[in-house]
């Protein structure tokens, strides 16, 4: 097989991200609870979430605001700070309440990703509702969640889907 270039990998990740989010929107239709966006970044996936889930309370987590101006979340929807602390605050305000968490916290470095996966695996079960979904760019290891197969249009291993038990 031809080697996958960085461009190929980016394309596959974005295709998988889009397919997983689209699938998740349908799955949570009859579920109450807020949606959490972990990693505002430039605001691309936040824009996607607010467009496709216009009636949902969406809370966004990042240590900084560095997004397209028209993708800046309202102040009262932003958990600004290090994810260790902000997810712990969110778990007190919304204990096991989120219907969907989209976690897009990966970077280019393996060390960051390994540490972030471990951190999120520990913290996310405290905020996701039973039956709620986690759509993640990084693989997670959580006892209290089942791993789901990816929907059509997403290649296994390019994104990760979990349902909280
Ligand atoms: C891949 S980007 C998010 C991309 C975004 N979802 C988009 O579509 O534009 C990852 C984000 O995670 C944030 N981040 C990384 N480590 C963090 C940490 N420890 N606490 C809070 N935010 C962090 C970075 O600031 C960055 O904005």
């Amino acid at each position: 097989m031809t080697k996958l270039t960085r461009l190929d990998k980016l394309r596959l990740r974005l295709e998988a991200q889009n397919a997983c989010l689209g699938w998740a929107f349908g799955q949570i239709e009859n579920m109450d609870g807020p949606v959490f966006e972990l990693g505002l970044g430039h605001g691309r996936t936040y824009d996607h979430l607010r467009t496709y889930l216009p009636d949902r309370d969406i809370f966004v987590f990042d240590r900084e605001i560095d997004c397209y101006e028209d993708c800046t979340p309202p102040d009262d929807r932003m958990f600004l700070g290090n994810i260790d602390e902000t997810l712990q605050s969110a778990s007190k305000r919304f204990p096991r309440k989120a219907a969907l968490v989209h976690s897009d916290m990966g970077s280019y470095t393996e060390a960051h990703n390994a540490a972030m996966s471990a951190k999120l695996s520990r913290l996310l079960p405290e905020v996701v509702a039973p039956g709620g979904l986690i759509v993640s760019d990084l693989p997670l290891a959580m006892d209290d969640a089942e791993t789901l197969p990816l929907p059509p249009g997403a290649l296994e291993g390019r994104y990760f889907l979990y349902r909280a038990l």
Side-chain angles (χ1 to χ4, degrees):
M1 186 187 147
T2 321
K3 177 185 181 293
L4 288 177
T5 65
R6 289 286 172 191
L7 181 62
D8 294 326
K9 289 180 183 176
L10 174 64
R11 176 179 55 78
L12 290 170
R13 185 167 64 79
L14 293 179
E15 283 172 1
Q17 181 184 60
N18 192 268
C20 289
L21 287 174
W23 177 84
F25 297 158
Q27 293 287 306
I28 63 161
E29 238 168 39
N30 296 317
M31 231 185 130
D32 289 333
V35 168
F36 288 179
E37 164 78 333
L38 273 51
L40 171 65
H42 292 152
R44 287 176 284 235
T45 48
Y46 168 60
D47 188 38
H48 199 68
L49 294 174
R50 69 181 178 176
T51 300
Y52 283 90
L53 301 172
D55 299 324
R56 201 60 82 151
D57 286 330
I58 301 174
F59 292 88
V60 185
F61 296 70
D62 207 299
R63 60 188 167 198
E64 61 182 359
I65 296 180
D66 183 23
C67 59
Y68 291 107
E69 210 174 320
D70 66 355
C71 294
T72 308
D75 285 351
D76 64 350
R77 296 301 156 103
M78 189 76 211
F79 279 88
L80 191 59
N82 198 295
I83 201 72
D84 306 67
E85 284 127 44
T86 52
L87 264 185
Q88 281 185 52
S89 310
S91 73
K92 294 194 180 90
R93 192 167 155 201
F94 301 105
R96 298 219 64 189
K97 289 282 189 272
L100 169 66
V101 175
H102 173 231
S103 178
D104 192 12
M105 297 291 286
S107 81
Y108 298 106
T109 63
E110 282 303 316
H112 167 95
N113 289 346
M116 186 58 74
S117 286
K119 206 177 285 189
L120 294 172
S121 298
R122 181 168 50 80
L123 295 168
L124 283 179
E126 304 295 319
V127 297
V128 189
L133 293 173
I134 299 169
V135 177
S136 175
D137 67 329
L138 296 174
L140 304 174
M142 298 170 292
D143 289 339
D144 297 338
E146 57 174 334
T147 305
L148 302 176
L150 299 192
L155 198 62
E156 286 298 337
R158 298 294 155 187
Y159 232 69
F160 302 91
L161 266 182
Y162 304 93
R163 192 191 304 275
L165 300 175

